[in-house]
Amino acid sequence: MDLGKQIELWNENEQYSQIIHAIEALGENQLTPELISELAKAYNNAADSNDQASFEKAIALLKTVEEPLGKDHNWNFRMAYAYYYLDQEGPALNYFERALEARPGDEDTLAFIEDCRRRLALPRFEKPFRTRVQESWRLFESEEQVLRVRMRNRIESEEIISQTTRLLHPAFSEIAFEMGCNQDHYDLILTPEGDRVRLIALDYYQKQMPESLKKHWNVMVGRQPAPKAALRIAGQEISADEVQVWITEHREKSVSLAVSCPALAGLMAENEN
């Protein structure tokens, strides 16, 4: 497998440190502008709230290849992304707008532009997102034991929702989530509700989860795939392997589904529903 395809695979699996190690191990004569840009992307994705240097490293790397790549969408988007998470919305907006010029109509870029403009319109005393994330996790650490007791005893459901909302509030003024527990393991599922910028913010938030919480908590962004999921209907169990789905995309940003399940065909004569 060539390095380009391996980098794609590492990105899909969120193995950003592998990308950094592989590219930085190359000789100087092997480094292309595209690989340097990929290295900057990996630093962006690997950065956390205590690692501001990674975003600054990404910017420094991208500046070295500005001449050949400065009009490229990916180059501008990666510069903008680094500035955005350094809470420098002004430069971020400039690069996002340039990225949009290179790829008109790109939905991720449009969403970031809208959020940058919103942030720039806010009073400047608003705390940076990184700071608010840290405050939220500190609050979560201080109260999570009480939250676990409530969840384990399955009582005071309104209190559970209210407490969790309060713990997340420093980072998010509005947040949708689901919760569950199984013995001593507790799940918190954060939901982006179709908002692309919120999805990225939630992913960042999840990655800043303190190690001390990972013993009891599993924090996820969005519903996770369940490979062994099955549906029981009319006394019959249907696995995902027995269902075929066709997706048709329409111009008005919607899709229609066609579903086939031969295993249920015998029920049609008795109960079409």
Side-chain angles (χ1 to χ4, degrees):
M1 183 182 298
D2 64 43
L3 182 57
K5 291 183 179 178
Q6 182 63 71
I7 289 173
E8 287 183 17
L9 184 61
W10 280 329
N11 272 318
E12 289 175 7
N13 294 323
E14 299 184 356
Q15 295 175 297
Y16 307 121
S17 61
Q18 296 282 75
I19 298 173
I20 293 171
H21 294 152
I23 296 179
E24 291 187 339
L26 296 173
E28 192 170 329
N29 62 335
Q30 296 175 285
L31 286 174
T32 64
E34 291 73 20
L35 282 175
I36 292 173
S37 182
E38 287 293 333
L39 179 59
K41 175 185 176 181
Y43 270 108
N44 272 343
N45 288 333
D48 60 38
S49 61
N50 298 316
D51 189 20
Q52 184 175 346
S54 287
F55 292 120
E56 294 172 346
K57 174 75 171 179
I59 291 171
L61 285 166
L62 290 165
K63 284 183 176 179
T64 67
V65 292
E66 181 172 4
E67 185 173 348
L69 299 181
K71 296 182 179 179
D72 177 70
H73 168 83
N74 287 338
W75 185 90
N76 282 286
F77 189 92
R78 291 162 187 173
M79 283 287 283
Y81 185 94
Y83 277 116
Y84 180 88
Y85 281 103
L86 285 170
D87 297 307
Q88 297 183 38
E89 293 87 354
L93 178 59
N94 175 50
Y95 285 110
F96 278 130
E97 289 177 338
R98 289 169 56 178
L100 188 65
E101 289 178 9
R103 188 180 294 174
D106 182 71
E107 293 187 3
D108 285 340
T109 308
L110 285 167
F112 270 113
I113 287 173
E114 181 181 349
D115 198 62
C116 281
R117 289 173 177 167
R118 180 189 63 80
R119 291 188 182 199
L120 287 168
L122 291 172
R124 296 311 302 163
F125 55 77
E126 182 189 41
K127 293 180 181 178
F129 181 60
R130 183 182 303 104
T131 302
R132 290 185 281 123
V133 168
Q134 291 174 322
E135 290 180 359
S136 175
W137 280 123
R138 282 196 294 268
L139 190 60
F140 202 104
E141 277 187 296
S142 68
E143 297 189 27
E144 62 89 22
Q145 188 173 0
V146 174
L147 186 57
R148 283 192 284 117
V149 170
R150 285 174 169 163
M151 292 177 66
R152 185 168 60 247
N153 294 331
R154 301 180 185 276
I155 57 174
E156 301 176 319
S157 59
E158 291 185 3
E159 287 296 324
I160 292 172
I161 294 171
S162 176
Q163 182 182 9
T164 306
T165 301
R166 180 170 53 79
L167 299 181
L168 297 171
H169 184 72
F172 304 100
S173 57
E174 295 182 8
I175 184 69
F177 58 87
E178 299 177 38
M179 305 182 76
C181 64
N182 182 12
Q183 296 180 345
D184 291 329
H185 195 73
Y186 302 83
D187 292 332
L188 173 60
I189 304 171
L190 306 173
T191 308
E193 296 189 297
D195 186 324
R196 291 170 181 264
V197 170
R198 183 175 296 183
L199 173 63
I200 296 172
L202 289 175
D203 180 65
Y204 179 83
Y205 182 85
Q206 187 269 339
K207 289 177 179 176
Q208 311 317 310
M209 180 180 179
E211 288 294 325
S212 62
L213 294 175
K214 294 181 180 179
K215 179 180 178 181
H216 296 293
W217 289 92
N218 183 25
V219 177
M220 299 166 283
V221 177
R223 287 276 186 91
Q224 304 302 298
K228 295 182 180 180
L231 173 69
R232 290 187 179 274
I233 181 170
Q236 190 171 351
E237 185 173 284
I238 304 298
S239 70
D241 293 335
E242 297 175 273
V243 181
Q244 290 180 292
V245 181
W246 292 268
I247 304 175
T248 302
E249 186 173 357
H250 303 292
R251 289 184 179 179
E252 58 273 18
K253 294 185 178 180
S254 63
V255 297
S256 59
L257 304 180
V259 184
S260 172
C261 181
L264 291 176
L267 295 176
M268 289 291 288
E270 301 174 15
N271 184 352
E272 186 173 338
N273 289 330

